[in-house]
Structures are given as structure tokens and as C-alpha cells.
Amino acid sequence: KAFNIDYHVGITSTSNQIVDEAGIVYPYADIPYINDQVINPEIYFSMMMISSMLGGIAETAIDALYASLSINFDKNKEFYRNNTPLHVIVISDENDQSTYKTANQLISLLKTYERDNQTNVDVSSIITLASEVNCSDTYGINGTHGYRYMYLTKVMDGQIINICDENWSNILTDLALYSIDLKYEYVLNNKPIVDTIIVNVMQGNITFTFEEA
């Protein structure tokens, strides 16, 4: 809300094995998704997250996202909007175990969605890195390297984040900034005077670099 952006935030399960339900955005209290009109969005986000965890054992986010944009698209039609960027964030401590579709098939579908809707699509992932497989969850179970999500994220120009990082506040802030197109380059109308440039993010000055073309 700080950036006055019109947004939809939807949450779905990475482990729903029921075909008719795979990739469907989870509602809570008759709220199908979170937007700038929802009061106390943090509460709805938390409850939607809890609902999305009630799936099967296998982590199959690739299948879920594919279903969300194909066979179950009509069930999410209020969530998706034309000419609106789509930012996907996968959160999983296991590698993808999808059997319905491959990462490349999903990438092809995402590229088609991007082209048909004249918008940008990216996929970020909060996953177990190869160096962090001994990082256990609250149940003492170690994760597995999410290399399939890593491949998907690299191709779809997203961010790869260590799920074992304890500072989730910074993680969510970085992803939020990434999603509002701060990752893109914009051409200036006039040549800037470098010594007069001040860069502000919310508040305060930050260190930046400027490269002349």
C-alpha cells in the first residue's frame, strides 16, 4: 500500500494432488484473494497460508501452477487480470516432485501467458539451497535441494532465496520491491548530472552506481 499499487495476492497449495483443485487460489472468509481493499491483510494472508498447507505429502508446485493457468484457469478468473504483471513466488523446503508437467512445459505456458496478455511474468523461489540441505524445519526434517525450482526461477528472471534465512522481513521486502518493476531499466529523457542524483527508497539515502551509456 505504501506505493499506492493496485494488486491481487493469491495463495495456493504446492501439494494438492486433486486435479480439479490444483492451483486454485485459496479463499478465506469469502475473500478470494487479497487486494488493496482488504482490511487487516496480514490476518487474511496468514489464514490463507494455513489453508494452503493442508495438502498432500509431495511438493508439486510446477503441476499446481500449470493447472492454475490451464485446466483450472476459469476457477481463478477473478484473480488473473489482462495486461497485469504476474509475479509467482514458490515456497518449498523440498525439490519439486511434479509428474503431470515438466519445468520446460510450464515455462512455455508462462511465456504464452506473457505474450497473450502483453505483460511480464517472473517466478521467484524461496527454497532449500544445495549448501543448506541440513537445515531442518520445525519437525526436525531436513529439506532437499530445490534444483527444479531454481532452474524455473533462472529462466523466468526471478530471485532465488534461501528458505533457511532467518530474516524473513528482509526477504519479503526484497520480493515486494522486485514485484513493482524496480528491476527494470528506464531510459531518461535528458543526460543526468551525476553529482546531483539522490536515490531514495521509502526514506533515507542509499548507495547506488550510475553507468553512462
Side-chain angles (χ1 to χ4, degrees):
K1 289 187 176 181
F3 292 94
N4 194 28
I5 293 174
D6 176 20
Y7 61 87
H8 286 182
V9 175
I11 298 171
T12 189
S13 173
T14 60
S15 57
N16 195 328
Q17 308 301 310
I18 303 174
V19 175
D20 291 341
E21 297 179 3
I24 295 177
V25 174
Y26 279 83
Y28 178 72
D30 296 327
I31 302 294
Y33 51 80
I34 300 170
N35 58 22
D36 57 350
Q37 302 301 311
V38 174
I39 299 174
N40 297 322
E42 299 87 352
I43 295 176
Y44 283 91
F45 183 84
S46 297
M47 298 309 297
M48 289 175 177
M49 284 291 292
I50 292 173
S51 298
S52 72
M53 295 169 65
L54 304 177
I57 298 176
E59 298 280 353
T60 56
I62 288 176
D63 279 352
L65 183 53
Y66 195 97
S68 181
L69 288 167
S70 56
I71 59 175
N72 291 329
F73 183 82
D74 285 345
K75 298 176 182 178
N76 289 328
K77 59 185 178 182
E78 292 185 7
F79 173 75
Y80 291 113
R81 296 179 292 177
N82 293 332
N83 307 115
T84 303
L86 175 61
H87 305 283
V88 179
I89 302 172
V90 176
I91 304 176
S92 178
D93 62 350
E94 301 177 13
N95 190 36
D96 181 75
Q97 301 167 54
S98 296
T99 57
Y100 177 56
K101 294 295 180 180
T102 66
N104 284 329
Q105 288 174 308
L106 175 57
I107 290 168
S108 178
L109 180 64
L110 291 173
K111 293 293 186 182
T112 299
Y113 179 90
E114 189 174 49
R115 182 177 62 253
D116 291 348
N117 289 277
Q118 300 179 351
T119 188
N120 298 308
V121 177
D122 60 58
V123 179
S124 293
S125 55
I126 303 176
I127 55 175
T128 302
L129 304 182
S131 59
E132 297 285 354
V133 292
N134 292 322
C135 172
S136 61
D137 61 16
T138 54
Y139 301 101
I141 301 173
N142 291 340
T144 56
H145 181 211
Y147 61 87
R148 288 182 179 175
Y149 297 132
M150 183 175 290
Y151 169 73
L152 173 65
T153 298
K154 288 181 177 179
V155 175
M156 294 306 301
D157 192 31
Q159 289 188 314
I160 298 171
I161 298 172
N162 181 9
I163 198 171
C164 296
D165 191 327
E166 296 181 355
N167 195 336
W168 277 69
S169 177
N170 286 348
I171 289 175
L172 296 178
T173 298
D174 290 345
L175 287 172
L177 292 174
Y178 192 78
S179 70
I180 59 174
D181 292 348
L182 294 184
K183 61 180 179 174
Y184 298 110
E185 295 181 355
Y186 297 91
V187 179
L188 301 176
N189 293 325
N190 300 297
K191 184 176 180 179
I193 302 173
V194 180
D195 293 338
T196 66
I197 299 176
I198 299 176
V199 179
N200 292 292
V201 177
M202 299 298 291
Q203 58 183 349
N205 294 333
I206 65 171
T207 301
F208 70 95
T209 59
F210 174 78
E211 298 179 3
E212 294 191 55

